[in-house]
Amino acid sequence: MDKNQFAAFLACAVVPPIMQQIQQKENQNTLELVKDFYHSKVYALLENEESKLWHYSPLTLCNMYLSERKNGTIDFPEEAA
């Protein structure tokens, strides 16, 4: 998949369900949540197709993002270790 196809895949299929999970857990303005997510380390890793982060569930990616926001670190699932 080329870079543009992968970016479209993220924008259409991966990010929206993650945002839905985050919105269910956080009481924050939607625009601010989206902006914060796109500036996160989790998104930077997700944006790199080779990281394979995109194959995790939206809930797992949501929890990784929330962990980053809370602790400043990303908690990877055990299977990633």
Side-chain angles (χ1 to χ4, degrees), residues 13-73:
V14 177
V15 172
I18 297 168
M19 295 309 306
Q20 185 177 31
Q21 291 288 328
I22 295 169
Q23 287 174 322
Q24 288 175 1
K25 294 180 178 234
E26 296 289 301
N27 186 18
Q28 189 179 350
N29 177 292
T30 302
L31 183 58
E32 287 300 314
L33 280 175
V34 170
K35 189 169 124 182
D36 289 347
F37 181 74
Y38 276 103
H39 288 95
S40 70
K41 293 174 188 171
V42 169
Y43 184 75
L45 287 170
L46 187 61
E47 195 174 36
N48 177 358
E49 185 177 3
E50 293 177 11
S51 76
K52 305 296 185 206
L53 230 60
W54 50 267
H55 85 278
Y56 290 125
S57 72
L59 180 59
T60 298
L61 291 164
C62 167
N63 289 334
M64 291 171 70
Y65 166 74
L66 294 175
S67 172
E68 176 188 345
R69 277 187 58 191
K70 183 179 178 183
N71 306 318
T73 60

